[in-house]
């Protein structure tokens, strides 16, 4: 467990030393979201309708930006080898890395989303549901993304390949996440969507680190 | 006690080496030699359990390594080709996080003492980015000073080191051997170490396109 | 029991599977051809014209079996992946990579025929029907598998990476299917389902089943044929390949 905390702390420290990477993803999120009203038109009723989908798709793309760096640096400088030789199970260390990735790339999106939601004239209630849905959904993106990042480690054209592998797997999170906000706006109650999103998260926490570890072992051989 | 039986390595369709046998008792060292691409790093990664052997097996204290993996890794210190140094962390942070991730947290005083002994006095808090190649190697080698591991596997430990650092590293390795430690390393230069030394030469394969046994000599 | 296990593992070695596959694939190809001829005859001449959809509905004799096969083949790939990971057999990875193009082909065929059927039925080439959408995502999963294994040079590594992504995919396929289905009902209510044609005559069902069997036999034949090619490519340096009669020329 100490090694788990050590790896989370190290990755957070590294992110703090390289703040620009965190901010780049955030600005990307902001810009993509702002492009939609420009492309579609500023009609409020329309914006309110597309807001959940737009915010979720943009969050999904922004979370993916930093994915190919998740293991790449550790792989290159030999840290990954040291991690796999640690007496602590590699899956636990991988979970630590995923947690740190979510804290630096997912959590900021959750915090920024309501501000961007205001641009789309969402009600305070809908903004709250949006935040909760992102809070449950963005960890799923990090977890599933870690599998893709581990599989494409050191592979030609890894970045594009990563999105090809990971985006189809993101679809359930997108549907339930955006669906939660839409259901709330339509007055149907978001509870069902949110609990399904929670179920996805539970499933991801159990299986994703294991699959990512198996993929990392292949890359290490 | 480390024993290897009939190890072999395939790279793509080629067999880099095969039938590598040796055994290493406490206080003994093994220098792996060979031309570029002979498979020195592959052999070391195999011994560390990072890569599977195409053939043969490795024993630790009389048990196949695959059966006692955790115990083996708890006794092993491996320094690979890449020194596992984070450019954005200071020398001290690098040393401490590496130890914590390896499950043996270091207090600051021990870490500082190790860095000073390896010749990084005054540079403990500089980010590794501004250190020279040799100084980065020293940060990695400082881990040897804090290590309780019995088996050290070092890939090119002497590379990028100046004369003073080389002799210092030799004395660190000597201490390890005199404590009854085991040492496997690769190097292109001849090294004078105490204890019983062996040299393993990984030979080039004359007909590289066919899998075919190569001669691995073990000299006492 | 142990005797049987030994026998199975004997065929897990590429050297002994290669001649076996060579003996088997022509049989499957022949059965597939006969079944396809029978199935097409039923679907074109025996099955009655649908009173609602006219002659255009006959495309479901291709569409539905193709969708079934595309899903089934993905499960078979995942099965081989699981075998490969558990027993570390070389042949399993080769089987997976031999099956992937056929699966992708059926997924594509299902999408294409779905679009052709949709135009007269709904007046649009594409509708976001739950089944069609899931099929599209399945097609993406196939493409992801093929792209990943093609991008990795070392075949053993490619096999293992492919095994992991196909297992991750097979866990996700039901999740994706149900989420898309739910999304679909939420957004446009009940839509016309491709398989629940209003009056499914017995001959129509028979036609579809026979076509599905024909596709199945075709898949086995082509996968065996492809796996032979993969075995030859990967084992070209071994002595047993050099001693094959077809290599003596």
């Amino acid at each position: 467990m100490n090694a788990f905390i050590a790896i989370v702390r190290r990755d957070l420290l590294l992110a703090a030393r390289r703040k620009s990477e965190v901010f780049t993803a955030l600005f990307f999120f902001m810009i993509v979201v702002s492009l939609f009203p420009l492309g579609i038109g500023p009609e409020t009723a329309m914006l309110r309708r597309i807001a959940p989908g737009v915010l979720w798709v943009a969050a999904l793309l922004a979370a993916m930006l930093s994915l190919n760096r998740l293991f790449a640096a550790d792989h290159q400088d030999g840290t990954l080898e040291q991690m796999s030789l640690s007496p602590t199970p590699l899956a636990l260390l991988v979970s630590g890395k995923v947690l740190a990735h979510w804290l630096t790339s997912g959590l900021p999106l959750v915090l920024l989303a309501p501000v961007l939601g205001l641009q789309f004239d969402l009600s305070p209630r809908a903004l709250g549901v949006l935040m909760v849905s992102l809070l449950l959904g963005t960890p799923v993106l990090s977890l599933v993304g870690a599998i893709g990042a581990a599989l494409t480690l050191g592979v030609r054209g890894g970045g594009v390949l990563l999105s090809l592998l990971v985006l189809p797997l993101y679809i359930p999170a997108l549907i339930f996440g955006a669906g939660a906000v839409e259901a709330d706006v339509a007055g149907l109650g978001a509870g069902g969507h949110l609990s399904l999103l929670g179920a996805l998260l539970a499933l991801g926490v159990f299986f994703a680190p294991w699959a990512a570890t198996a993929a990392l072992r292949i890359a290490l051989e | 006690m480390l024993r290897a039986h009939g190890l072999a390595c395939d790279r793509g369709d080629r067999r880099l080496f095969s039938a590598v046998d040796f055994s290493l008792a406490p206080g003994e060292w093994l220098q792996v030699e060979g031309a570029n691409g002979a498979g020195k790093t592959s052999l070391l990664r195999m011994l560390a359990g990072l890569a599977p052997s195409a053939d043969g097996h490795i024993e630790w204290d009389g048990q196949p390594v695959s059966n006692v993996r955790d115990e083996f890794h708890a006794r092993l210190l491996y320094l690979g080709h890449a020194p596992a140094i984070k450019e954005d962390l200071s020398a001290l942070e690098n040393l401490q996080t590496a130890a914590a991730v390896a499950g043996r947290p270091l207090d600051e005083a021990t870490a500082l003492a190790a860095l000073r002994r390896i010749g990084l006095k005054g540079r403990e808090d500089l980010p590794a980015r501004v250190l020279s190649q040799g100084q980065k190697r020293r940060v990695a080698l400082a881990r040897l000073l804090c290590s309780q591991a019995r088996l050290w596997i070092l890939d090119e430990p002497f590379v990028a080191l100046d004369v003073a650092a080389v002799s210092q590293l030799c004395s660190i390795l000597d201490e390890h051997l005199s404590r009854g430690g085991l040492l496997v390393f690769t190097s292109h230069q001849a090294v004078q170490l105490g204890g019983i030394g062996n040299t393993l030469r990984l030979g080039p394969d004359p007909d590289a396109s066919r899998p075919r046994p190569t001669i691995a000599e073990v000299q006492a | 029991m142990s005797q049987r296990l030994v026998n199975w593992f004997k065929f897990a070695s590429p050297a002994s599977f290669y001649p076996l596959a060579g003996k088997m694939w022509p049989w499957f190809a022949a059965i597939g051809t006969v079944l396809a001829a029978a199935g097409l005859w039923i679907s074109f001449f025996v099955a009655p014209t649908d009173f609602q959809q006219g002659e255009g509905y006959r495309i479901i004799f291709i569409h539905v079996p193709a969708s079934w096969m595309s899903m089934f083949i993905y499960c078979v790939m995942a099965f081989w992946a699981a075998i490969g990971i558990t027993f570390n057999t070389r042949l399993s990875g080769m089987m997976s990579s031999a099956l992937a193009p056929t699966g992708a082909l059926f997924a594509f065929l299902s999408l294409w025929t779905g679009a052709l059927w949709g135009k007269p039925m709904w007046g649009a080439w594409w509708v976001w029907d739950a089944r069609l959408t899931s099929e599209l995502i399945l097609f993406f999963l196939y493409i992801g598998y093929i792209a990943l294994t093609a991008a990795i040079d070392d075949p053993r590594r490619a096999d293992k990476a492919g095994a992991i992504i196909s297992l991750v995919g097979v866990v996700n396929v039901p999740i994706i299917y149900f989420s898309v289905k739910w999304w679909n009902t939420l957004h446009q209510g009940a839509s016309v389902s491709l398989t629940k044609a209003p009056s499914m005559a017995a001959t129509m069902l028979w036609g579809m089943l026979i076509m599905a069997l024909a596709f199945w036999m075709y898949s086995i034949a082509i996968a065996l044929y492809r796996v032979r090619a993969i075995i030859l490519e990967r084992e070209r340096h071994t002595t047993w390949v050099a001693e094959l009669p077809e290599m003596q020329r």
Side-chain angles (χ1 to χ4, degrees):
Chain A
M1 209 58 203
N2 287 328
F4 175 83
I5 294 165
I7 209 127
V8 175
R9 189 180 293 163
R10 189 204 65 184
D11 276 16
L12 290 180
L13 192 62
L14 284 170
R17 301 266 157 95
R18 283 273 157 110
K19 291 186 199 69
S20 65
E21 283 173 7
V22 176
F23 284 108
T24 313
L26 271 184
F27 283 119
F28 176 83
F29 180 50
M30 280 169 67
I31 290 170
V32 169
V33 169
S34 315
L35 282 180
F36 278 87
L38 296 175
I40 291 168
E43 192 198 332
T44 323
M46 164 83 93
L47 289 183
R48 215 178 292 138
R49 254 184 62 73
I50 62 163
V54 165
L55 282 161
W56 252 91
V57 170
L60 201 134
L61 295 176
M64 230 182 52
L65 270 190
S66 52
L67 267 185
N68 51 7
R69 283 195 306 273
L70 181 55
F71 298 114
D74 281 353
H75 183 50
Q76 229 162 29
D77 66 19
T79 312
L80 207 55
E81 284 180 348
Q82 296 297 339
M83 281 165 60
S84 80
L85 294 177
S86 161
T88 316
L90 184 56
L92 193 62
L93 299 178
V94 168
S95 316
K97 284 196 68 71
V98 174
L99 175 62
H101 177 262
W102 177 72
L103 288 174
T104 52
S105 75
L107 192 59
L109 298 180
V110 178
L111 300 176
L112 190 64
V115 183
L116 297 179
L118 287 176
Q119 289 185 322
F120 288 77
D121 194 37
L122 284 179
S123 68
R125 214 184 118 80
L127 288 179
V129 175
L130 175 69
M131 272 186 88
V132 175
S133 77
L134 281 171
L135 197 62
L136 287 170
T138 44
V140 178
L141 304 184
S142 291
L143 284 161
V144 174
I147 304 175
L151 280 172
T152 53
L153 204 53
V155 170
R156 271 178 281 125
V160 185
L161 192 56
L162 175 61
S163 38
L164 201 61
L165 291 180
V166 160
L167 283 177
L169 302 178
Y170 278 178
I171 289 168
L174 170 68
I175 287 176
F176 295 134
V181 188
E182 269 169 42
D184 185 74
V185 171
L188 293 171
H193 287 85
L194 290 179
S195 29
L196 280 167
L197 212 49
L200 284 185
L201 177 57
L203 211 66
V205 167
F206 268 102
F207 291 110
W210 179 78
T213 306
L216 284 179
R217 292 215 187 274
I218 299 171
L220 276 173
E221 270 177 19
Chain B
M1 183 81 166
L2 182 71
R3 272 180 98 90
H5 283 293
L7 298 184
C9 173
D10 289 334
R11 176 63 36 84
D13 295 327
R14 296 190 313 132
R15 179 146 281 197
L16 284 183
F17 57 77
S18 61
V20 167
D21 295 291
F22 68 85
S23 73
L24 210 59
E28 289 186 2
W29 53 273
L30 177 75
Q31 179 174 7
V32 181
E33 284 178 357
N36 292 336
K40 299 187 293 293
T41 298
S42 303
L43 177 62
L44 259 54
R45 287 171 51 85
M46 229 173 248
L47 292 176
L50 281 166
S53 172
D55 207 356
H57 63 277
I58 303 164
E59 283 175 11
W60 174 250
D61 285 341
Q63 302 258 27
V65 162
S66 45
N67 294 356
V68 289
R69 222 185 156 77
D70 289 345
E71 200 183 315
F72 176 65
H73 281 163
R75 306 239 182 289
L76 167 75
L77 185 117
Y78 170 80
L79 282 190
H81 214 65
I85 299 294
K86 292 281 169 202
E87 301 268 301
D88 288 324
L89 298 184
S90 73
L92 180 63
E93 285 164 340
N94 262 308
L95 187 55
Q96 280 191 299
T97 43
V101 169
R104 290 178 281 266
L106 275 184
D107 60 274
E108 198 173 312
T110 322
L112 278 175
L115 287 172
R116 283 181 189 146
R117 187 171 159 206
I118 204 84
L120 289 170
K121 192 168 177 11
R123 291 180 178 79
E124 301 94 337
D125 290 321
L126 288 180
R129 178 165 12 98
V130 304
L131 297 180
S132 76
Q133 207 57 37
Q135 285 170 326
K136 274 183 217 164
R137 291 297 306 191
R138 290 187 196 209
V139 178
L141 292 172
R143 293 179 44 207
L144 299 177
L145 289 171
C146 315
S147 162
Q148 305 293 319
R150 268 181 65 203
L151 171 63
W152 289 2
I153 297 182
L154 313 178
D155 197 353
E156 297 288 352
F158 295 100
V159 114
L161 294 183
D162 57 24
V163 182
V166 166
S167 71
Q168 198 173 16
L169 177 58
C170 282
S171 71
I172 294 171
L173 297 181
D174 276 336
E175 276 172 39
H176 172 66
L177 292 166
S178 65
R179 279 197 305 264
L182 289 75
L183 169 67
V184 181
F185 68 99
T186 59
S187 183
H188 289 292
Q189 58 209 86
V191 182
Q192 289 303 315
L193 290 175
I196 304 159
N198 309 287
T199 310
L200 177 74
R201 177 170 292 278
L202 295 176
D205 197 334
D207 182 5
S209 63
R210 271 237 192 104
R212 180 166 153 180
T214 60
I215 306 137
E217 295 173 58
V218 182
Q219 304 165 332
Chain C
M1 183 65 203
S2 66
Q3 187 61 39
R4 278 178 85 173
L5 264 176
V6 170
N7 277 337
W8 279 112
F9 277 105
K10 177 172 168 268
F11 289 112
S13 124
S16 45
F17 189 73
Y18 178 84
L20 180 71
K23 280 194 207 97
M24 287 196 309
W25 79 262
W27 289 100
F28 283 107
I31 299 172
T33 315
V34 171
L35 284 174
L40 286 174
W41 183 68
I42 290 178
S43 49
F44 276 114
F45 303 112
V46 179
T49 309
D50 192 273
F51 73 98
Q52 267 186 332
Q53 306 169 44
E55 302 291 344
Y57 90 93
R58 291 186 196 273
I59 202 155
I60 64 166
F61 288 109
I62 302 287
H63 173 80
V64 175
S67 317
W68 285 345
M69 281 315 293
S70 65
M71 289 174 208
F72 179 64
I73 289 178
Y74 201 87
C75 296
V76 176
M77 270 172 62
F79 165 78
W80 284 115
I83 298 275
I85 285 184
T86 337
F87 298 109
N88 199 21
T89 43
R90 275 179 301 164
L91 190 62
S92 332
M94 298 183 191
M95 284 304 281
S96 288
S97 44
L99 281 165
T102 310
L105 174 76
F106 278 126
F108 180 75
L109 210 59
S110 152
L111 290 171
W112 189 259
T113 52
L116 286 181
W117 195 56
K119 185 64 182 169
M121 276 294 297
W122 300 312
W125 294 110
W126 182 262
V127 287
W128 289 94
D129 165 74
R131 281 164 205 273
L132 274 181
T133 313
S134 312
E135 195 65 43
L136 181 67
I137 298 167
L138 184 66
F139 182 62
F140 290 153
L141 290 179
Y142 273 119
I143 297 299
Y145 174 91
I146 295 172
L148 178 67
T149 46
I152 302 175
D153 292 322
D154 177 22
R156 291 284 284 160
R157 209 190 134 187
D159 280 351
K160 286 183 188 167
I164 290 177
I165 195 68
S166 54
L167 282 177
V168 170
V170 88
V171 171
N172 268 279
V173 162
I175 300 176
I176 291 173
Y177 177 71
F178 284 110
S179 63
V180 168
K181 205 170 160 184
W182 207 37
W183 161 82
N184 188 251
T185 49
L186 199 77
H187 282 265
Q188 54 184 67
S191 63
V192 187
S193 166
L194 293 192
T195 44
K196 283 183 198 134
S199 57
M200 177 95 91
T203 38
M204 285 165 67
L205 186 66
W206 273 109
M208 272 199 267
L209 284 177
I210 291 175
M211 283 309 285
L213 268 178
F215 283 179
W216 195 354
M217 294 303 123
Y218 160 79
S219 310
I220 296 177
I222 198 79
L224 288 176
Y225 193 80
R226 208 177 275 128
V227 89
R228 270 166 64 88
I230 295 173
I231 291 174
L232 277 191
E233 193 187 346
R234 298 222 189 141
E235 309 260 308
R236 61 186 179 275
H237 297 295
T238 56
T239 39
W240 75 264
V241 167
E243 283 163 5
L244 283 174
E246 51 262 52
M247 293 290 152
Q248 301 302 323
R249 268 169 280 157

